[in-house]
Amino acid sequence: MAFAVASQLNHACRADGELASSAAAAQYITDTCLSDAPLGRVGLEVEAHCYDPVQPHRRPGWDEISDVLESLPSMPGGSAVTVEPGGAVELSGPPTDGVAPAIEAMTSDQAVLRKAFAAAGLGLVQLGTDPLRPARRINPGARYSAMEQFFAATDTGVAGAAMMTSTASIQVNLDAGPQAGWGPRVRLAHALGPTMIAIAANSPLLGGEFSGWLSTRQRVWGQLDSARCGPILTASADDPGTDWARYALKAPVMLVHAPEAVPVTQYVPFADWADGRALLGGRRPTTADLDYHLTTLFPPVRPRQWLEIRYLDSIPDAMWPAVVFTLVALLDDPDAADVAAEAVEPVAGAWDTAARVGLGDRRLYAAANRCVAAAADRVPRRLEEAMQRLVQAVEQGRCPGDDFADRAIEDGIAPTVTGLARGES
């Protein structure tokens, strides 16, 4: 997402760009991780698994997907189109003034993308995990190959492969807001995580089997190293920049450019590299190495001048606009934020419970109903129908994954995926 990036301070590095120490790296991170700006802009990133409706167990190849992308016209909403390691296709929208225009732009781009894939005999399915096929990487990018090697060397090969090739999400990008409010805003973005996961859970199957979790996507991320994928916040969460710096410096280095991405197969916290206790690639790190390291960290809320909110499963078109509107309203509307902060406080740390049983937990059910009610009071007319569906689903204690599971049990996994790939509701 192309939010404007504030000028980065250079006092943390030497003239050649080499970082002087872990303390200098920490200063660089705290100085640059969030941008003091008004609230209001919203950027969306939506991923969907690519399927062959005729042979749903087959994973379309790199050349096959690339040919579709080469045929695409310009996206009317301005989205960039990329391909994830396992062939999931991602639309990344530009920042838009307001959530409703962001949703409208993304919806128009989805229509163009779906039409192009349908013309090629392929379909796009919005689920948090691939319910049918085994994990397999098709994107030949050097970064993804190195990541694959890193996960295999650190005993997280199975979870790492699933994360890279079998998961899909909807990411919401929001301005950090005025600096005086960073602490409460980042704290609320984290606290909302379990409740929003319970509302949006849409991944009860992975690789042809029920996992026992409503959000298997969240379960997969939880199986990876918490130093790289866990929540950032400390207990106080009053200083997000310091929290992010502490997190980033403790996290192990995944890749080093030499000049291609090379996996680091031993456990080396970035602080050790910056302080010279370990040399990677035969050298000390530069600010460019630190910037790249930050892109290999995947917490549920990641500061990148703006806030990347990364904890939503990919969900169907009938539901995702209301879910996105709810999340943005609860963070950007001051009155709704007050309601949300009080509602989710009892479940702010219930990440696993939310992923496993969703709204079946009574505390998450109560929090979710209060949150969607607060958002529904503020919904614009064009989103009223989608919001009503969301309110009704939450009142019934159901998430999108429940609907998918019911259909898969009744019709079979492969026929259900085939129907979704053909655009059947």
Side-chain angles (χ1 to χ4, degrees), residues 44-133:
L44 302 178
E45 301 179 25
V46 178
E47 296 172 343
H49 302 284
C50 181
Y51 277 97
D52 177 348
V54 177
Q55 302 178 65
H57 288 90
R58 183 182 76 86
R59 189 180 292 270
W62 175 250
D63 290 342
E64 199 173 352
I65 295 175
S66 297
D67 286 346
V68 179
L69 268 55
E70 289 175 4
S71 72
L72 288 174
S74 297
M75 293 291 106
S79 291
V81 187
T82 55
V83 181
E84 294 298 299
V89 182
E90 178 178 15
L91 286 169
S92 300
T96 303
D97 289 332
V99 62
I103 291 169
E104 185 174 358
M106 180 56 66
T107 300
S108 66
D109 288 351
Q110 283 184 301
V112 171
L113 191 70
R114 289 186 188 282
K115 182 178 180 180
F117 273 83
L122 301 174
L124 299 175
V125 177
Q126 286 167 217
L127 289 164
T129 51
D130 187 328
L132 193 59
R133 304 169 299 194

Side-chain angles (χ1 to χ4, degrees), residues 234-251:
T234 60
S236 67
D238 290 329
D239 184 355
T242 298
D243 286 344
W244 181 223
R246 183 184 296 111
Y247 182 103
L249 294 177
K250 286 183 178 180

Side-chain angles (χ1 to χ4, degrees), residues 46 101 120 182 189 248 273 325 337 356 366:
V46 178
W182 285 352
W273 191 17
F325 178 84
R356 189 173 63 254

Side-chain angles (χ1 to χ4, degrees), residues 38 46 52 75 101 125 135 152 163 167 177 185 187 194 200 255 258 274 276 290 357 383 387 397 416 425:
V46 178
D52 177 348
M75 293 291 106
V125 177
M163 179 274 285
T167 65
R185 182 166 173 77
R187 188 160 54 247
L255 309 173
L290 178 53
V357 302
L383 294 176
M387 181 58 73
T416 300
S425 57

Side-chain angles (χ1 to χ4, degrees), residues 39 97 153 169 218 249 269 362 414:
L39 298 178
D97 289 332
S169 69
Q218 184 65 25
L249 294 177
R362 60 178 180 81

